Amino acid sequence: QLSTPGSGNGMTVKIPDGMRALALRTDEVVGVAGFLLPGTHVDVLVTLHPANSTDPITATVLEDAQVLATGQKTEPDPLGKPTTATVVTILVNPQDAEKVVLASTQGSIHFVLRNGSDRERVKGAPVMLSQLSGTAMPAPQKASQGPTKKAERPAPKPYTVETFMGPTTKTENFQ
């Protein structure tokens, strides 16, 4: 009775204009051992296997997303106790919703819990498995933009042969 016409009930009143509520599957590990609570902020990471590589990667898909609900709870436990849920609902803009949904269909999603006052965005490069093992694959070389000059081969070192016949020594050089 106190909400604006068309705003609805329940969760919909918590979604600001231009934003969306996106529910993602979770478990005790992905959900940071139950410490994802309504009102906390998370980063969303995905681990996937790119089609052009055998090396799996983990990338940050979304930074500083607010958790709207865990399971069907829209308010955190008053004592701050962890609660496990199979679904976490986060607040995203429409473009981020598309990224997260695509990422969740291509690989496994993990939530990374943020400090309550940390709003910094630090979009880093994806991490490859080969980087963890210390055997990082070399970066692909850029395609040539025209004829390339072949590297000149250094002149081969001449071979030196010394022949000993009794008291005489003879030296010859060959290419």
Side-chain angles (χ1 to χ4, degrees), residues 44 56 84 93 112 120 138 145 161:
V44 179
T84 56
N93 64 42
V112 180
E120 185 177 349
Q145 296 297 330
V161 176

Side-chain angles (χ1 to χ4, degrees), residues 141-167:
Q141 294 183 357
K142 294 182 180 178
S144 173
Q145 296 297 330
T148 58
K149 184 178 177 184
K150 288 192 174 187
E152 292 183 24
R153 288 181 127 178
K157 293 181 181 180
Y159 294 101
T160 302
V161 176
E162 286 185 319
T163 310
F164 298 97
M165 292 188 176

Side-chain angles (χ1 to χ4, degrees), residues 53-56 128-139:
S53 172
T54 59
D55 203 10
M128 302 174 78
L129 179 62
S130 59
Q131 290 171 304
L132 296 180
S133 64
T135 58
M137 298 172 65

Side-chain angles (χ1 to χ4, degrees), residues 80-147:
K81 291 182 182 178
T83 57
T84 56
T86 58
V87 176
V88 171
T89 304
I90 58 175
L91 185 64
V92 294
N93 64 42
Q95 294 82 17
D96 286 340
E98 291 173 355
K99 285 189 227 175
V100 174
V101 168
L102 179 62
S104 69
T105 64
Q106 298 301 306
S108 59
I109 294 287
H110 282 265
F111 296 103
V112 180
L113 187 61
R114 295 177 72 104
N115 178 304
S117 62
D118 181 8
R119 297 292 176 263
E120 185 177 349
R121 297 191 182 248
V122 190
K123 186 73 171 170
V127 177
M128 302 174 78
L129 179 62
S130 59
Q131 290 171 304
L132 296 180
S133 64
T135 58
M137 298 172 65
Q141 294 183 357
K142 294 182 180 178
S144 173
Q145 296 297 330

